[in-house]
Amino acid sequence: MIKVGIAGASGYTGVELIKLISNHPQARLETITSSSYKGKPLTDIFPSMRGFESLICEELDAKALSTRVDLMFLALPHKVSMAYAKPLIEQGIKVIDLSADFRFSNRASYEKTYQTHTAKDLLEESVYGLSEIYRDKIKGARIIGNPGCYPTTILLALLPLIKEQILDTKQIIADSKSGVSGAGRSLSLATHYCEANESITPYKIGNHRHTPEIEEILSIHAEKKVSVTFVPHLVPVTRGMISTIYGHVNKSVHLTDIYQAYQKYYAKEPFVRLLPNGCFPSMSHVRGTNCCDIGCHFDENTGRIILISAIDNLLKGAAGQAVQNMNIMFGLADETGLNYVQTPL
Amino acid sequence: MIKVGIAGASGYTGVELIKLISNHPQARLETITSSSYKGKPLTDIFPSMRGFESLICEELDAKALSTRVDLMFLALPHKVSMAYAKPLIEQGIKVIDLSADFRFSNRASYEKTYQTHTAKDLLEESVYGLSEIYRDKIKGARIIGNPGCYPTTILLALLPLIKEQILDTKQIIADSKSGVSGAGRSLSLATHYCEANESITPYKIGNHRHTPEIEEILSIHAEKKVSVTFVPHLVPVTRGMISTIYGHVNKSVHLTDIYQAYQKYYAKEPFVRLLPNGCFPSMSHVRGTNCCDIGCHFDENTGRIILISAIDNLLKGAAGQAVQNMNIMFGLADETGLNYVQTPL
Amino acid sequence: MIKVGIAGASGYTGVELIKLISNHPQARLETITSSSYKGKPLTDIFPSMRGFESLICEELDAKALSTRVDLMFLALPHKVSMAYAKPLIEQGIKVIDLSADFRFSNRASYEKTYQTHTAKDLLEESVYGLSEIYRDKIKGARIIGNPGCYPTTILLALLPLIKEQILDTKQIIADSKSGVSGAGRSLSLATHYCEANESITPYKIGNHRHTPEIEEILSIHAEKKVSVTFVPHLVPVTRGMISTIYGHVNKSVHLTDIYQAYQKYYAKEPFVRLLPNGCFPSMSHVRGTNCCDIGCHFDENTGRIILISAIDNLLKGAAGQAVQNMNIMFGLADETGLNYVQTPL
Amino acid sequence: MIKVGIAGASGYTGVELIKLISNHPQARLETITSSSYKGKPLTDIFPSMRGFESLICEELDAKALSTRVDLMFLALPHKVSMAYAKPLIEQGIKVIDLSADFRFSNRASYEKTYQTHTAKDLLEESVYGLSEIYRDKIKGARIIGNPGCYPTTILLALLPLIKEQILDTKQIIADSKSGVSGAGRSLSLATHYCEANESITPYKIGNHRHTPEIEEILSIHAEKKVSVTFVPHLVPVTRGMISTIYGHVNKSVHLTDIYQAYQKYYAKEPFVRLLPNGCFPSMSHVRGTNCCDIGCHFDENTGRIILISAIDNLLKGAAGQAVQNMNIMFGLADETGLNYVQTPL
């Protein structure tokens, strides 16, 4: 039994983790923390949990946790997480951080996008938690930077083609659509029901913080600087994310090369579903699952390729992938606690 | 040309009024005010207005307005409006107030529900702006308390049956459903997209502030104390309201009596659509119109009656009825500026 | 391991059963049938099932199934199920029918509401599958008539008060709101996205087929004829149901009596969550769970009581309760395969 | 007064036209036709029209209409319209066709995409009704092929840059998102509420019928063959459309060149709103208006340009632009009957 703690229990990612760990056959939820709800029962924050989970929100105290938990999930805001990770690691507690604070290997890139990093050693040590690509490193890691939701859809679709040098790295465009839960539970006019409902709005065009995260990982695997044009859109669904990615292949690539590249990396992966030619993902097909569905439209004449990649932003895009990473770190099969079929239509 | 000002331009009711006055053939929008957006163009608050309206938000200064406007709409919060109404009236400016501040004729009832009233004389003078019922008084009024959205649906359905002594006044139940715009544009967890979406939530069960408003008007027309059981529900639509009302008729009432009662009060009313027996309202049938649709199911054997009443909460439930009242005050036909067919599906 | 078959795999209830049985630790899905999709893989009908379930739709052949399955769920249309139940029972296969065909003990009542019944013996034998109320009978049953979704919300809220003679049986009103999945997956204008979206519509006012189902069960437990005024509303959510029920208590009832009545029947029930006084259910709190949440507002002065009851219409209102009944029939704990926490927000 | 008829009154585009003509100060609705609802009042099909429009659906009889109408809008399915247009034109009735049947100047292209054309002369004569670009030809036309909704968003954003030779014509990608009303009112699984709700689905990837329509117009203005990569997505809103368009500029283009190009074509256009640099369209900003909002993000270093273009698919994307074209044909200002501000949030 892995003893687990979750920090940031009052957010959408936090409660998603709580649900997953509650259902997990090999993990036990020992503590949840929340600075704003300290001392309050979880069911005050999420009444849906009545009868399923009776924990009380605690304060995060690394020392006190050292004997109680093996692993801590940090579902805290960007720039806040870094202060909590270090004392936990020092107490011998493994950390899976769901903010951006431990995703970058290039510190300058992080600092340009976010702020000065106060846990540089850990940043260097941390492993990017894109499970299918970094499984070997995740196994031995003490600290994981769990990927962003947009990067997860885009990287899983692109990396096999980048690594196999199939794709022209200079012409990549990703048009992504995210459900509102991706913006979190804090209040803003953009997430007011009447503003988000019945509308689609592109935002942070050309300067979303996930762009450097995507580009860093692509560049590492391309072994050269890769730039991506990325436009996210807020869409009126609670949970779900889909990216439509446009690119060009390098010369003399055939459809079979593309499928072979995907097979090479994902044939044995339980959570990447490569769709047959002519089939395409839909947000609804992955909702409530930890799957990433990938579909591909390729025009051999022009070399143009269109990739569609869909996830549930709170599962494969956040809490689900985090639990998958926990499974890998603790020697369990990836699917443990994740392979049941969710009920949402 | 009626010269019009609108206070509280940054809310959903405020912008709805702006749209209606912009389209009105006999009214001209002279000023809009907003304490939070003073000095900013309306299009900063509502980009949809680009090209249609170029006004800048001002501060509300009754004296300065005296030569500029004939009528001021106050789309301000409850308990705030009362302070603004008096100086406007003193400057000879008519006032249609969309808060609850001038809806009650019984001050004690207002003060029990809201707070101490600071403009008692005006409260006594003010006319309840349920256009179809109070038309004669509205004509000569200096100040109107525009009805709440829930009361509008419930009162329009009940009053003809109450006034004709058809209904048993002791067994009235109203189960109402309101779109999220009824909660306004300010931020709250209940109106966060992810919380309101895919859910229906009853709230303020047994103690909503519209209950005393409904009961006061019903009691006046019944000439005795009427109590109503009222449960409002927040529903995942932006705009729309529907009330399902349950009651009992007094002895020996026939279906024709019911229809005759409605005909008596609404036969010539452009904005109350009495549906034929067997037809019932739907929120979608009134969206974008100033209409209140009323349908009736009556079981002669048991005396049980079910009334369904639907409006667009921002139109007949707020801004539309306010403009209808302005038309009545200024001797125009009710439909002026309101009788075009809106485009929403 | 219970060997299970599901008939009607292409509907929303069918696929929900498939998901539940796929996740069930003590049951194994042996066959799915569909007349319209015979020979086709389930993943053609529901691409979300890719990788989770690889079954092919078969034809329903009772004889061939006798050695393969212990229990058959029939997720077939009303009036169709009855023809399939008999041969299955004759082969020694237990049946849980999710249509209305085996819900009535009074055949005349069924036939008035639906059509001539062609399996009268089975109708007499069948047990009404409201798990919490009929647990003892369900244990030994060969055939279960699984309750309708509306009756489930209304009966679970009312029966303790009816059985304890707390409620006046002559004044019960139920105002129910159902998500669109309750109308099934077949096509109709009412379920077209643009018609259902952004609207609420009452329907079948005074003559919905669930009324006699509700009244029969209430009358049995009240030991006298009970009538209910019932108005269902179609609401723009995919899954979810909430009923607001209005009634009067009999003389000298106190709040504690009401809570005691509920405690008496539900204290040990895992799937009925009685909310503390002042707390009320919301659709979102039960989505993805098999729970029925019940809240109560009681005015001791007037004797008026308001009950709110919410379920996930596809779980406690259909497939979830069916699996709960299977658990009871096969001696398992009710929660088996049902007590994990679902991920939907 | 222009005497107007509308064929296809039972569809979403048909009823939108009815609403616009009902509100139009210079046009009068003389007849509506519907093959499926012949003899029935419009209010049976759209109860929202009760009290606003009392017309009965007729059969389309060109001869009988010759004295009654000056102009006929055909809101009929693709491939059906062409048979009706000819007899109307022969009776001296002008035609604005909202199907694809008269949009192509290249017949082969139409026939490849749709079917054999049976009114070739009219096809040659017809004018493409993109109001801002073809105003001069529209003025004198007898028959207009009203543009598709996707082409309207994409062409209005691209044409100024294409005509001014600012854009590289070989790298154009359009990622478009359409509300469900774009799929019409006929029934399909894709438009079932439960399937479309809470999901986004790309469809007809690489072979949507609007691609050749877009490419033909772009090629004419570029004076060379232009190919476009176009992926449409079905999104869970009733009405609204937004296209995110990716391209490259030709060498040494500056931001001012781009704005000047737009100014050149749209400075005096009432229905194209060019947003200031850094501002971007949202579906909600154009809902209920005939506006096309265009925003632009340009990176001078890389030459990459991102254009965002949003319309209300039923207005500027169909009925609104059709009325704008009628205004142009009959010498009225474009805004006539279209410039009021709609009420939807």
Side-chain angles (χ1 to χ4, degrees), chain C residues 184-224:
Chain C
R185 206 188 196 198
S186 45
L187 305 180
S188 71
L189 189 58
T191 60
H192 187 297
Y193 184 83
C194 299
E195 307 285 323
N197 188 36
E198 293 293 292
S199 190
I200 288 194
T201 308
Y203 66 103
K204 290 193 186 149
I205 296 165
N207 65 350
H208 191 281
R209 297 183 304 191
H210 282 175
T211 311
E213 182 181 334
I214 296 163
E215 291 179 343
E216 179 177 273
I217 303 295
L218 289 181
S219 299
I220 287 166
H221 292 275
E223 295 175 13
K224 60 182 163 186

Side-chain angles (χ1 to χ4, degrees), chain B residues 23 50 197 239 273 341 343, chain D residues 23 50 239 273 341 343:
Chain B
N23 293 334
R50 276 196 195 102
N197 189 36
R239 56 196 296 156
R273 301 191 296 193
V341 190
T343 60
Chain D
N23 293 335
R50 278 197 195 102
R239 54 195 300 156
R273 300 191 297 195
V341 189
T343 61

Side-chain angles (χ1 to χ4, degrees), chain A residues 296-338:
Chain A
C296 160
H297 175 87
F298 179 51
D299 181 341
E300 290 202 358
N301 294 322
T302 61
R304 280 223 162 266
I305 188 166
I306 302 169
L307 305 171
I308 319 270
S309 173
I311 62 171
D312 183 318
N313 60 305
L314 293 178
L315 287 168
K316 186 63 176 170
Q321 185 152 253
V323 171
Q324 187 179 359
N325 287 332
M326 175 191 81
N327 289 342
I328 295 171
M329 288 164 95
F330 286 83
L332 304 173
D334 282 42
E335 306 94 305
T336 318
L338 290 169

Side-chain angles (χ1 to χ4, degrees), chain C residues 215-252:
Chain C
E215 291 179 343
E216 179 177 273
I217 303 295
L218 289 181
S219 299
I220 287 166
H221 292 275
E223 295 175 13
K224 60 182 163 186
K225 174 104 192 76
V226 179
S227 291
V228 169
T229 299
F230 168 55
V231 178
H233 300 73
L234 188 71
V235 301
V237 311
T238 294
R239 55 195 299 156
M241 174 167 287
I242 194 163
S243 292
T244 305
I245 305 163
Y246 303 88
H248 259 96
V249 298
N250 290 318
K251 273 183 204 146
S252 47

Side-chain angles (χ1 to χ4, degrees), chain B residues 12 16 19-20 22-23 47-50 52 181 193 197-198 238-239 273 275 279 284-285 288-289 291 293 314-315 339-345, chain D residues 12 16 19-20 22-23 47-50 52 181 193 197-198 238-239 273 275 279 284-285 288-289 291 293 314-315 339-345:
Chain B
Y12 291 139
E16 199 73 18
K19 292 176 182 179
L20 290 174
S22 294
N23 293 334
S48 61
M49 300 300 286
R50 276 196 195 102
F52 291 109
S181 63
Y193 184 84
N197 189 36
E198 292 295 290
T238 295
R239 56 196 296 156
R273 301 191 296 193
L275 304 192
C279 284
S284 61
H285 297 167
T289 79
C291 294
D293 277 8
L314 292 178
L315 286 168
N339 70 336
Y340 53 91
V341 190
Q342 298 294 333
T343 60
L345 274 175
Chain D
Y12 290 138
E16 199 72 19
K19 291 176 181 178
L20 291 173
S22 294
N23 293 335
S48 61
M49 300 299 285
R50 278 197 195 102
F52 291 109
S181 63
Y193 184 84
N197 189 36
E198 292 293 292
T238 295
R239 54 195 300 156
R273 300 191 297 195
L275 304 193
C279 286
S284 61
H285 298 167
T289 80
C291 294
D293 277 9
L314 293 178
L315 287 168
N339 70 337
Y340 53 91
V341 189
Q342 298 294 333
T343 61
L345 275 175

